Amino acid sequence: MSQLTLALRDISKSFGGVEVLHKVSLNALGGEVLALLGENGAGKSTLVKILAGDYTPDGGEVVVDDVPAPGLNPRTARKLGIRMIHQEFQDAGALTVAENISLGRWPTAGGLVSWRRLKQRADDVLGQMGVDIDPGALVSSLRVGERQVVEIARALADDAKLLILDEPTAALSQQEVDRLFEWVRRLRDNGVCIVYITHRLDEVFELADRVQVLRNGDVALTSPTSDVTRRQLVEAMVGRDIGEVSRPASAGAGADGEPMITIDDLHVDDQVAGLTLTVRKGEVVCLYGKLGSGTTQVAEVCFGIRKPTGGTLDIAGTSGFPSAPTAAIRRGVGYLPPDRKREGAFMSRSVIENLAAASWGKLAIGNLFVTAGMEKTAYSRWSSKLGIKSADPANQQISQLSGGNQQKVMLARWLERTSNPLVLVEPTRGVDVGARQEIYAAIRDLAAEGQAVLVVTSDYEEAVQLSDRVVVMQRGQQVAEFDGNDVTAQNLTIAAGG
């Protein structure tokens, strides 16, 4: 395979008169993995969309194999071997896995679709990745992690010379991550250039040959990975000094707090077997495990989304499993789903509407209607406390906010309703480093004020930085519990089978 070299030189790009890239340069070379880092809003997405031909730069030039490519668009980029896997799924849920892998280029024979060749292509790439997914299954029936695998398989089946991966491991199990990394290294060794966007710094040091950091539309750092430290990368991203991963101070109540979630011998089909767990007022408990460990199912039981097959649950002194999310909300449970855009936020509605949605009934007491003024008042109660940044919360759609600000609005939704306990599933998925720290601080502050918080996470750094206690699950079973100084990345990864 011939190697592709690509250079972006002094690239500028503006939207609505606001310049988001300021003469940014980037070199991507065949046979290497280039990690592209930066907070949300740093310009990463804009830059790689220029790479993929989705955007045309306002200034600068794109050079492919030493030849200027001023008219680069998605079609010409694809002809050059440039492929991009977006963070937001680009699949077709009503089609099968095999059909999605060949989406846009179904093989034909005699003018008709060759279903045999289509299935064979899917079998080949899934087999090479070591992934056990039925090629005949509808994509809409797959879990989040499996859908991400199909997205990756589609790109890898397309003979990429430059592969752009945007947060590809966000929803993958550790086993799937390991397989992906194997395949990425194999592609790199075969001369493919990989541009790898991630918020997980451990992935950078495990996988990348070089790293480039963007901050506020400028290049903040470019270096061989072996020449930089984790601390230097974080400081380059956020523009300020941030310490290494550390344990939080205790919220205070600990073992003396009132139990708000008490789970005993919980069973959920073949996905959870015998979990026992207590979350008290004034503490943050993390339920840690990788995809398929059963942690998400526990959260769904607490919010009435999933029916258990055994065990007991007590929420704030009331026994019994919620029959539906509405019943859980009435009992005081606040819930952040793992996919806020599909399962939590009303993406076409305003920021204030999203924040107030769970409290419309409370806001309307004594009034015929819920007004924008009431929603603005609700927003003002939490915007400063949580650090929500919105230029015009009454009119700005929540879809226009960064991932971190969207997540803060979702958290404020339940605080406005005075929900306690909170059940937060992957609360910082797709959120940049700086916003993560802000969300962690907000959650810790809430616990100090008496909130009981159950966090479900597959990110060991999140568990280390956020929790008072961590319960580890593996394959549906509780395998370990850690607190205090025993909550370390090493202990968590070993216990989870990582």
Side-chain angles (χ1 to χ4, degrees):
M1 176 188 293
S2 61
Q3 295 187 9
L4 179 147
T5 62
L6 186 144
L8 301 182
R9 298 174 180 167
D10 293 332
I11 296 296
S12 298
K13 182 65 179 177
S14 298
F15 295 100
V18 178
E19 191 173 59
V20 296
L21 292 177
H22 318 299
K23 293 188 176 181
V24 171
S25 296
L26 176 148
N27 293 315
L29 308 175
E32 75 164 5
V33 177
L34 171 66
L36 186 61
L37 307 181
E39 295 190 87
N40 288 344
K44 304 186 306 296
S45 296
T46 301
L47 190 65
V48 295
K49 285 180 179 178
I50 289 172
L51 256 177
D54 294 331
Y55 291 159
T56 301
D58 299 328
E61 64 176 351
V62 180
V63 180
V64 180
D65 288 336
D66 297 322
V67 178
L72 194 67
N73 58 47
R75 179 172 293 182
T76 56
R78 184 166 183 161
K79 287 182 179 179
L80 291 168
I82 300 171
R83 307 288 185 272
M84 181 169 178
I85 299 174
H86 296 269
Q87 186 176 354
E88 304 298 331
F89 295 136
Q90 305 289 309
D91 56 21
L95 300 180
T96 66
V97 169
E99 290 166 341
N100 269 273
I101 288 174
S102 292
L103 202 62
R105 53 186 184 87
W106 286 3
T108 59
L112 300 174
V113 175
S114 173
W115 299 107
R116 180 187 62 79
R117 287 169 54 199
L118 183 141
K119 183 179 183 301
Q120 187 61 52
R121 180 184 290 165
D123 287 339
D124 288 346
V125 69
L126 292 173
Q128 288 171 329
M129 291 179 70
V131 175
D132 184 19
I133 296 178
D134 179 9
L138 291 179
V139 165
S140 60
S141 70
L142 303 181
R143 298 191 304 254
V144 172
E146 292 172 328
R147 291 176 64 198
Q148 180 71 75
V149 169
V150 173
E151 291 277 282
I152 295 168
R154 185 201 310 167
L156 299 185
D158 205 13
D159 192 26
K161 294 181 181 178
L162 188 151
L163 185 62
I164 305 165
L165 302 176
D166 187 1
E167 295 282 358
T169 64
L172 301 185
S173 68
Q174 187 60 50
Q175 186 177 27
E176 290 167 331
V177 169
D178 292 341
R179 288 172 178 167
L180 170 66
F181 283 5
E182 266 181 43
W183 187 242
V184 169
R185 293 188 184 102
R186 195 178 309 164
L187 286 171
R188 178 194 61 191
D189 294 344
N190 288 334
V192 176
C193 173
I194 313 292
V195 177
Y196 191 94
I197 300 174
T198 183
H199 288 123
R200 298 185 175 189
L201 301 185
D202 55 335
E203 295 181 353
V204 175
F205 291 101
E206 182 174 351
L207 192 63
D209 301 291
R210 286 193 302 127
V211 58
Q212 180 159 324
V213 178
L214 298 184
R215 184 174 73 245
N216 297 328
D218 294 300
V219 177
L221 180 149
T222 302
S223 172
T225 308
S226 58
D227 291 346
V228 294
T229 66
R230 176 192 184 91
R231 186 187 188 98
Q232 288 172 324
L233 291 181
V234 173
E235 290 175 3
M237 280 188 281
V238 302
R240 61 183 186 273
D241 186 6
I242 278 189
E244 298 287 353
V245 176
S246 60
R247 297 284 297 130
S250 173
D256 298 327
E258 175 189 346
M260 295 299 287
I261 299 176
T262 303
I263 297 170
D264 185 47
D265 197 27
L266 178 66
H267 288 72
V268 184
D269 298 321
D270 59 352
Q271 298 169 316
V272 178
L275 175 71
T276 296
L277 172 71
T278 300
V279 183
R280 300 175 181 275
K281 277 187 176 181
E283 69 172 352
V284 180
V285 176
C286 281
L287 193 58
Y288 172 76
K290 297 302 182 181
L291 188 68
S293 63
T295 57
T296 301
Q297 286 76 15
V298 175
E300 291 173 343
V301 166
C302 291
F303 198 58
I305 298 173
R306 188 177 293 269
K307 305 301 181 188
T309 50
T312 62
L313 171 66
D314 184 288
I315 297 175
T318 301
S319 298
F321 294 99
S323 58
T326 51
I329 292 170
R330 285 195 298 267
R331 289 171 64 177
V333 181
Y335 177 76
L336 288 190
D339 188 342
R340 62 180 172 270
K341 294 186 178 181
R342 296 179 63 214
E343 302 171 340
F346 305 115
M347 298 303 289
S348 63
R349 309 301 296 181
S350 73
V351 174
I352 62 171
E353 287 174 310
N354 270 276
L355 189 149
S359 302
W360 280 336
K362 182 181 74 171
L363 294 174
I365 293 175
N367 301 281
L368 292 177
F369 305 101
V370 175
T371 66
M374 297 174 189
E375 292 173 331
K376 285 181 181 178
T377 300
Y379 174 83
S380 67
R381 274 192 282 268
W382 302 106
S383 56
S384 295
K385 185 177 180 65
L386 298 182
I388 302 170
K389 296 179 179 65
S390 172
D392 185 5
N395 297 297
Q396 187 176 23
Q397 292 182 3
I398 195 172
S399 61
Q400 297 171 337
L401 299 186
S402 68
N405 281 302
Q406 289 178 10
Q407 200 72 327
K408 292 174 189 177
V409 172
M410 294 296 95
L411 182 58
R413 172 187 290 177
W414 299 111
L415 300 180
E416 173 63 19
R417 191 180 167 82
T418 63
S419 297
N420 196 1
L422 295 176
V423 179
L424 315 179
V425 184
E426 305 288 359
T428 61
R429 174 177 287 168
V431 172
D432 62 63
V433 172
R436 282 188 183 198
Q437 298 301 322
E438 292 172 352
I439 290 173
Y440 293 163
I443 292 172
R444 296 298 308 172
D445 288 345
L446 291 169
E449 295 169 3
Q451 196 82 38
V453 187
L454 174 62
V455 175
V456 171
T457 183
S458 58
D459 186 335
Y460 64 79
E461 290 188 356
E462 185 157 274
V464 170
Q465 294 184 74
L466 190 55
S467 66
D468 294 298
R469 291 187 291 119
V470 181
V471 172
V472 184
M473 292 187 67
Q474 182 186 150
R475 296 185 179 180
Q477 295 188 328
Q478 178 179 341
V479 294
E481 182 171 340
F482 301 103
D483 61 14
N485 292 331
D486 290 332
V487 179
T488 65
Q490 182 178 16
N491 283 344
L492 296 182
T493 53
I494 291 173

